[in-house]
Amino acid sequence: MTALTDTPTWQTLASLADDVKQQHMRDWFASDTSRASKYQQTACGIELDYSKNLITDDVLKALFTLADESQVTQKRAAMFKGDIINHTEQRAVLHTALRNFSGEPVYVNGQDVMPEVLACQDKMKDFVASIHSGERKGYTGKALKQIVSIGIGGSFLGPKIMSEALKPYWFDGVKVHFVANVDGCHIHDVLSNLDHEETLVVMSSKSFSTQETLQNTLTAKEWFLKAGGTQQDIAKHFIAVSSNIKAATDFGMAEDNIFPMWDWVGGRYSLWSAIGLPIALTLGYDNYRQLLEGAFEMDQHFQTAPPEQNLPILTALLGVWYINFFGAQSHVLLPYYHYLRGFPAYVQQLDMESNGKNISGDTTQVDYATGPIIWGSEGTNGQHSFHQLIHQGTLLIPADFMLPLNVPNQDDTHHAMLASNCFGQTQALMQGKTFDECYADLEGKGLDEAERVKLATHKTMPGNKPSNTLLFEKMDPKTLGSLVAMYEHKVFVQGAIWGVNSFDQWGVELGKELGNQVLDKIVNTDAPLAFDGSTNALIARFRQANS
Ligand SMILES: O=P(O)(O)OC[C@H]1O[C@H](O)[C@H](O)[C@@H](O)[C@@H]1O
């Protein structure tokens, strides 16, 4: 098989990139008044303007060919039908089954998983209703109004960030607190303000073996017992979400208090499973279901829309274009909506844990770049800090700007300013400011010629910096579900093109393993140290400080 970088399509793209680098988007907009309408697509409540990208029709055509030759369509079908595409862990990849409202079965190894999925959703619905109505009570008869959600990675980011993003939809009457870090400051801060009699702990761990989550749950249990609860009362105050039922019952969870999940749901795709229970507790089950429905709608769009109209495919190909042909190493996400401020951190795990890989197929070391660094934060804040580097630094950083057209508690002045900043930034990135414009601005400012040239040189903005703009009518649960699924599928398409396994995470696993080995040496202070010199010295220093 021809290596990806040796294919004629890859070569064509490389030569198109050389051409495009000599051109400026400013001129394209000036010469083609239809550019904005030509390069925009709407689906599932998401309006994507991708006209401010370094693309031409020829570039898009070659990118679609690349997707075609990489068998994106076939790989997509394999995922949706439950094939074992996570080939290093021998697992299907079926987060899409968790939001499958088609009524169709989904088979894993010949067994339809949908009955179990639907049963779990019913259990979640009943559970949320029993908490919200106050029917389910703590051991002293108080309603459970404080929920402590303990989990890390995908068992934390999805629940926390999606709950935060949907603040206008929160159920009034319960408060959900999220704890992830094993740093004791986090759990102690949260628990210190709570009344144990009205606290419910939701422990979320797919594997039920993650050190941080186990320890935080033990700490919460100790706190509960110390505050007056007994071992018997635990069942009323502690529940778990896990695919490892045995480990959860061994830990002391009552079997009835365990919500199942399955090994075919990856951690970073798990918010659609019972790992999303804290979201449902925050919003009410009906709103949580809307989130799932939005994702389902995007699943259908992804499977049926032609590539030219397909949001995940388009955004994925634009990413590949910059990563592989322009040397872009990062991608910035800029939600212009305060409640969506955690979204970059969510996509960071989704993308970097999925496509942070260097092996293609079975054993081939890739000779091209794969997943980018994902970063970003809410607008307009970033404009007053890191945007400078995007405007005038030497790195090319493609950006996704996001803006809801309507926001809750709408104050027109604030919202108009927010929108104008968002649009103004995309404009500045695209058009830049030429030396001549800067030079002209400095006329009559009392500068001598050398000073004027110097200042105009420093003020010159190259422009030609690519961005997508995503608009939403409003950021409701359904649109958010579609947005998350859009990024999931974008990451999938990129992984398919690069040939990597987007669904394992061996680097993270190694970190967990080594962390436990080091912990053993920290706890057993007399144990001989046989790691590398640096690690030994660090452990010794820690032992000394804590002796
Ligand atoms: O849910 P758990 O089994 O506790 O795993 C929590 C997290 O662990 C690791 O960091 C994985 O890389 C994540 O994908 C996962 O979400």
Side-chain angles (χ1 to χ4, degrees):
M1 208 173 85
T2 318
L4 183 60
T5 46
D6 291 336
T7 60
T9 304
W10 193 275
Q11 302 299 327
T12 302
L13 282 162
S15 113
L16 284 166
D18 288 342
D19 276 0
V20 163
K21 284 171 196 165
Q22 308 307 316
Q23 303 181 46
H24 205 291
M25 273 191 269
R26 199 194 300 128
D27 302 326
W28 291 343
F29 274 100
S31 64
D32 179 3
T33 49
S34 68
R35 185 174 172 87
S37 56
K38 188 159 79 167
Y39 297 139
Q40 69 88 27
Q41 279 302 329
T42 298
C44 310
I46 301 170
E47 299 168 32
L48 169 70
D49 172 355
Y50 61 103
S51 62
K52 291 191 184 98
N53 276 289
L54 293 160
I55 50 163
T56 60
D57 288 348
D58 286 344
V59 169
L60 282 175
K61 201 167 145 221
L63 287 169
F64 291 133
T65 305
L66 179 70
D68 192 40
E69 291 172 356
S70 307
Q71 304 205 308
V72 166
T73 310
Q74 293 85 333
K75 290 175 182 173
R76 176 181 67 193
M79 175 174 74
F80 276 92
K81 76 178 168 62
D83 287 0
I84 308 295
I85 62 168
N86 176 356
H87 55 90
T88 58
E89 295 182 298
Q90 291 304 311
R91 290 176 182 168
V93 174
L94 274 180
H95 45 283
T96 50
L98 301 167
R99 58 218 194 191
N100 166 27
F101 296 117
S102 69
E104 299 293 322
V106 179
Y107 295 100
V108 175
N109 295 324
Q111 202 186 333
D112 181 12
V113 299
M114 287 315 298
E116 275 185 274
V117 168
L118 298 176
C120 180
Q121 288 174 351
D122 284 344
K123 183 171 169 161
M124 286 169 72
K125 186 176 178 179
D126 292 347
F127 185 80
V128 172
S130 74
I131 295 287
H132 285 187
S133 66
E135 178 199 326
R136 188 181 162 118
K137 298 189 185 339
Y139 78 101
T140 58
K142 284 192 183 175
L144 296 164
K145 290 185 177 159
Q146 304 294 336
I147 318 287
V148 179
S149 170
I150 299 177
I152 199 163
S155 300
F156 162 69
L157 290 162
K160 177 167 191 287
I161 290 167
M162 301 316 145
S163 299
E164 225 169 59
L166 296 171
K167 186 156 187 220
Y169 298 85
W170 283 9
F171 173 82
D172 198 11
V174 298
K175 174 94 182 82
V176 184
H177 313 262
F178 291 92
V179 177
N181 199 337
V182 76
D183 182 340
C185 302
H186 198 178
I187 185 97
H188 288 297
D189 270 2
V190 168
L191 295 178
S192 62
N193 293 318
L194 301 183
D195 172 359
H196 77 292
E197 293 175 34
E198 53 176 34
T199 298
L200 174 78
V201 174
V202 181
M203 187 236 200
S204 303
S205 177
K206 176 183 167 185
S207 59
F208 216 93
S209 67
T210 305
Q211 185 198 71
E212 293 93 326
T213 304
L214 289 171
Q215 185 53 46
N216 279 326
T217 308
L218 279 173
T219 300
K221 199 164 151 184
E222 275 166 27
W223 164 83
F224 178 80
L225 294 174
K226 219 167 142 188
T230 67
Q231 194 65 38
Q232 266 183 328
D233 302 325
I234 295 274
K236 288 204 156 109
H237 291 262
F238 284 74
I239 65 165
V241 182
S242 185
S243 64
N244 191 345
I245 310 285
K246 170 146 190 342
T249 48
D250 287 353
F251 185 86
M253 299 287 179
E255 195 152 348
D256 195 40
N257 284 346
I258 302 169
F259 289 78
M261 64 180 294
W262 305 273
D263 72 359
W264 39 263
V265 185
R268 51 196 172 274
Y269 302 88
S270 62
L271 74 99
W272 319 105
S273 71
I275 293 286
L277 187 62
I279 310 177
L281 286 163
T282 305
L283 307 176
Y285 191 81
D286 289 348
N287 280 324
Y288 175 68
R289 166 132 182 157
Q290 286 290 309
L291 188 77
L292 267 53
E293 282 184 6
F296 175 58
E297 223 174 79
M298 182 55 75
D299 292 343
Q300 290 175 309
H301 167 77
F302 177 47
Q303 290 180 91
T304 57
E308 311 76 49
Q309 294 167 20
N310 195 305
L311 299 189
I313 295 182
L314 278 170
T315 49
L317 291 175
L318 290 168
V320 167
W321 176 235
Y322 297 121
I323 293 162
N324 296 117
F325 301 97
F326 288 73
Q329 294 191 345
S330 83
H331 189 103
V332 66
L333 301 192
L334 301 165
Y336 277 63
Y337 182 49
H338 179 63
Y339 296 141
L340 210 53
R341 63 192 178 279
F343 198 67
Y346 181 78
V347 178
Q348 193 170 61
Q349 186 206 18
L350 171 66
D351 198 322
M352 294 172 77
E353 203 169 56
S354 296
N355 287 340
K357 311 286 164 64
N358 63 65
I359 300 297
S360 171
D362 286 343
T363 54
T364 308
Q365 180 77 47
V366 299
D367 59 356
Y368 44 84
T370 58
I373 299 162
I374 301 289
W375 61 291
S377 69
E378 69 183 299
T380 60
N381 301 12
Q383 290 178 211
H384 303 275
S385 74
F386 59 77
H387 280 224
Q388 170 59 34
L389 185 141
I390 310 177
H391 285 294
Q392 282 190 304
T394 53
L395 303 170
L396 182 84
I397 304 178
D400 287 354
F401 286 81
M402 300 170 205
L403 177 82
L405 296 169
N406 294 287
V407 291
N409 312 316
Q410 187 139 338
D411 171 319
D412 288 344
T413 311
H414 282 265
H415 198 52
M417 285 181 179
L418 188 68
S420 59
N421 275 288
C422 174
F423 303 156
Q425 286 293 308
T426 71
Q427 185 188 25
L429 288 168
M430 183 277 286
Q431 69 186 27
K433 191 162 181 180
T434 63
F435 173 84
D436 289 347
E437 287 164 344
C438 296
Y439 184 81
D441 279 355
L442 293 170
E443 180 153 22
K445 297 274 192 280
L447 301 172
D448 66 27
E449 180 59 11
E451 284 169 340
R452 190 170 164 189
V453 167
K454 175 182 162 185
L455 199 50
T457 307
H458 281 263
K459 286 184 150 205
T460 300
M461 305 250 289
N464 232 11
K465 310 284 189 190
S467 68
N468 291 317
T469 306
L470 294 101
L471 301 179
F472 324 106
E473 197 63 53
K474 58 182 178 175
M475 190 34 70
D476 56 12
K478 197 164 178 200
T479 309
L480 182 63
S482 297
L483 183 69
V484 175
M486 186 195 93
Y487 277 96
E488 285 178 351
H489 296 321
K490 171 194 168 180
V491 167
F492 173 85
V493 171
Q494 294 187 331
I497 289 171
W498 292 320
V500 298
N501 179 0
S502 302
F503 303 102
D504 58 13
Q505 57 283 315
W506 297 108
V508 172
E509 310 291 347
L510 177 65
K512 285 185 177 182
E513 199 182 306
L514 293 183
N516 281 326
Q517 285 176 22
V518 170
L519 178 64
D520 182 57
K521 302 295 178 200
I522 284 184
V523 175
N524 299 306
T525 47
D526 293 333
L529 297 175
F531 300 122
D532 62 274
S534 165
T535 310
N536 287 345
L538 292 167
I539 296 171
R541 177 72 186 99
F542 187 87
R543 282 175 172 177
Q544 183 201 30
N546 287 278
S547 61

